[in-house]
Amino acid sequence: MSMPSPTAAHRHSFSEQLRGMPASPRSSRQFSLSSAGVQDLMNNPPKAGAADPAFVGRDWHDIAVGELVDSAEVRFVELDTGVEDATNLLINSASTALLIRATRNETSAIGTFDYKDLNQYLLFATGRLRPDEEHLAFFQDLANKAQQGQEIPVKDAKALGSKEPFVVLPHTANLTTAVEAFGGGVHRIVIVKEGADEVTGILSQLKLVKFLWENGRSFPVIDQLYPQTIKDLGIGSQNVISVNGDKPLKEALVLMDGEGVSSLAVVDSQQNVIGNISTVDVKLLTKSSSAPLLDNTCIHFISVILSTRGMNDGKDSFPVFYVSPYSTLAHTVAKLVATKSHRMWIVDSPSPSSSGPPTPSIPSAVLHNPLHVASTPQATPSFISASASPSVSASSLPGASMSGRLSGVVSLTDILNLFARASGLNPNDPAETRRHRRRSSSSSLVRGSLDSARSSSVDVSKIGR
């Protein structure tokens, strides 16, 4: 499916959208759920749905990846599609990533455009990305185009930062190949017709984990793991990236981009988990009315996320983003699937904390210093301070007092790595993949274009076979 050409005579660029700085239209929303109700929902996430009859009694090693994807869910943009059009399609579609193709008539893909890319472009448009010296001229030229209201194509936006590996599998490859790749740190796989480049779907870590959760009883080697605790299984990591809730949102976005991660734990001054911010939440920042949020606190943004989610769902929303070391794998996977999250924060018993707003003098334990951008070409003027917006305290967030002190994180990668090893497979070390991703994100903020992406795609079914 291609992007329709805009019919408006004048296209509003991100720079134009973010120029006017009205007061923040959001305020804290009242939640009707009682503390007991929130606690019950947190402790008892939805159970797995009924197993798909098509997979009952089948050996999961013989299930093809093509059986898990749907070509109707694929959305394409072209290399010359404007970032604004691509952003609108991404937000309005159910997918977390669009496929990029060279021209409208092609059925093959050469890259993806996702919320990580949108976050990078937002940081560029607001003058918070710093290029290396080699790419300064490119960066300056792109900034000048944005200032003049010219359309910025997707291929240029993709060149602003590091790209995720573009991994492909033929639709006939079995599920074990995907589990092994995902367990090694790959986040999504593009499925193509056997012997051709035609795309038939996109398989993500979350889609595969959901499939294995809902059909667990059909796969005994995996099903027997669900009753065990995270601690006993030895999964998760203590290397956690977090941000203090009183820090400006813009610093959290820079941190996510610089560390190459898709979400951050938000903590209070005692390191108790009070929320979660992910790159998907950047979709709430693409309109001028939301621009002041960048200078407001992370806690305030969490209240906006929950309020928006509640209005969209027609009911109050609450944060379900943590587990304890003694949570079972079933409990953890159920929360990941129910919230469509990529990771759950591992918490210990709560530490005593103030019931008032977070203390600005308490520094974040892990937050890096924000990039200095005074000498960096900016695509838009600096934001007007949003300090006048209503402040939101950590204690006002539903369920905030029920979490605990941040001690680790367990991700979809960790779970799929466990499944792979339990099945006798040999996935790559996900910790090394994470280190490589962070080095790639921090070494240079400007990379090459997508012109060579086709030749750099990886067919994981041919590796080690």
Side-chain angles (χ1 to χ4, degrees):
M1 176 178 176
S2 299
M3 184 86 57
S5 298
T7 56
H10 177 69
R11 179 190 302 275
H12 293 282
S13 68
F14 273 4
S15 300
E16 291 174 297
Q17 289 177 347
L18 297 176
R19 210 160 266 156
M21 299 299 124
S24 174
R26 312 255 186 206
S27 60
S28 182
R29 187 167 182 258
Q30 297 299 313
F31 294 82
S32 62
L33 285 176
S34 65
S35 295
V38 173
Q39 185 70 71
D40 181 64
L41 286 166
M42 288 180 173
N43 290 338
N44 301 286
K47 296 181 180 179
D52 189 333
F55 301 104
V56 174
R58 294 178 59 185
D59 186 334
W60 72 297
H61 294 73
D62 297 328
I63 296 174
V65 292
E67 298 180 65
L68 273 62
V69 299
D70 183 357
S71 60
E73 297 176 355
V74 176
R75 297 292 182 271
F76 280 101
V77 291
E78 286 74 56
L79 284 170
D80 59 358
T81 298
V83 174
E84 289 81 5
D85 284 343
T87 296
N88 290 333
L89 181 58
L90 181 63
I91 292 174
N92 293 329
S93 70
S95 177
T96 58
L98 306 176
L99 293 181
I100 303 173
R101 57 187 174 188
T103 64
R104 185 182 297 269
N105 296 325
E106 295 199 23
T107 57
S108 60
I110 58 176
T112 59
F113 180 81
D114 58 19
Y115 284 104
K116 178 182 177 183
D117 299 312
L118 180 56
N119 183 42
Q120 287 175 336
Y121 187 77
L122 178 66
L123 292 174
F124 158 75
T126 56
R128 292 177 174 88
L129 276 188
R130 181 175 59 185
D132 56 27
E133 189 171 344
E134 179 184 355
H135 299 93
L136 185 60
F138 166 80
F139 195 94
Q140 180 70 67
D141 180 62
L142 203 61
N144 290 338
K145 289 180 180 178
Q147 286 177 332
Q148 296 167 13
Q150 296 184 37
E151 179 179 272
I152 304 298
V154 165
K155 63 180 179 182
D156 286 346
K158 287 289 294 185
L160 288 171
S162 59
K163 297 184 288 292
E164 288 286 328
F166 186 66
V167 180
V168 299
L169 269 179
H171 77 285
T172 54
N174 62 48
L175 217 52
T176 57
T177 308
V179 170
E180 192 169 40
F182 284 141
V186 172
H187 289 162
R188 71 174 65 92
I189 299 174
V190 176
I191 310 302
V192 299
K193 283 188 177 180
E194 175 75 34
D197 293 329
E198 182 179 349
V199 175
T200 61
I202 302 176
L203 184 61
S204 66
Q205 285 184 325
L206 182 59
K207 180 177 288 188
L208 181 53
V209 166
K210 181 180 180 182
F211 170 80
L212 295 174
W213 169 239
E214 293 178 342
N215 297 277
R217 292 183 179 178
S218 298
F219 316 126
V221 69
I222 291 177
D223 194 47
Q224 55 91 22
L225 297 171
Y226 287 129
Q228 301 183 53
T229 67
I230 293 175
K231 182 180 176 67
D232 290 341
L233 290 170
I235 61 173
S237 170
Q238 294 182 330
N239 185 19
V240 190
I241 302 174
S242 64
V243 60
N244 201 297
D246 61 357
K247 293 292 183 180
L249 174 61
K250 59 189 177 186
E251 293 189 15
L253 301 185
V254 170
L255 181 60
M256 279 196 293
D257 183 63
E259 292 291 340
V261 295
S262 60
S263 64
L264 297 174
V266 181
V267 298
D268 64 15
S269 58
Q270 302 299 320
Q271 290 298 297
N272 294 314
V273 176
I274 56 176
N276 180 87
I277 294 175
S278 74
T279 52
V280 175
D281 298 323
V282 172
K283 65 185 177 183
L284 300 177
L285 302 171
T286 57
K287 295 181 179 179
S288 60
S289 60
S290 301
L293 292 172
L294 286 169
D295 286 313
N296 213 319
T297 64
C298 291
I299 288 180
H300 180 75
F301 188 53
I302 290 172
S303 74
V304 172
I305 294 170
L306 296 177
S307 178
T308 303
R309 192 180 301 157
M311 287 185 288
N312 290 341
D313 295 342
K315 58 184 178 180
D316 289 332
S317 187
F318 50 88
V320 186
F321 41 72
Y322 60 82
V323 293
S324 83
Y326 302 99
S327 296
T328 64
L329 181 63
H331 181 89
T332 304
V333 170
K335 282 190 173 183
L336 286 165
V337 171
T339 59
K340 299 180 181 179
S341 301
H342 285 178
R343 54 184 54 79
M344 283 282 144
W345 311 112
I346 302 174
V347 300
D348 296 324
S349 298
S351 299
S353 62
S354 169
S355 60
T359 306
S361 60
I362 301 295
S364 167
V366 193
L367 183 63
H368 292 188
N369 291 329
L371 294 178
H372 175 67
V373 295
S375 61
T376 302
Q378 297 190 13
T380 186
S382 300
F383 284 132
I384 293 175
S385 172
S387 57
S389 300
S391 61
V392 180
S393 67
S395 61
S396 70
L397 298 177
S401 62
M402 304 174 194
S403 61
R405 186 178 179 85
L406 180 64
S407 64
V409 61
V410 59
S411 67
L412 294 175
T413 297
D414 297 321
I415 292 169
L416 287 165
N417 183 272
L418 171 68
F419 290 168
R421 289 185 286 107
S423 304
L425 304 174
N426 297 294
N428 292 331
D429 180 5
E432 178 55 36
T433 302
R434 293 187 188 105
R435 285 191 290 269
H436 179 269
R437 185 176 289 117
R438 288 172 185 168
R439 287 195 299 268
S440 176
S441 295
S442 60
S443 62
S444 172
L445 289 177
V446 180
R447 301 296 196 283
S449 70
L450 284 171
D451 293 340
S452 60
R454 188 189 303 274
S455 61
S456 62
S457 63
V458 179
D459 184 342
V460 293
S461 66
K462 298 178 181 178
I463 299 178
R465 298 293 190 269

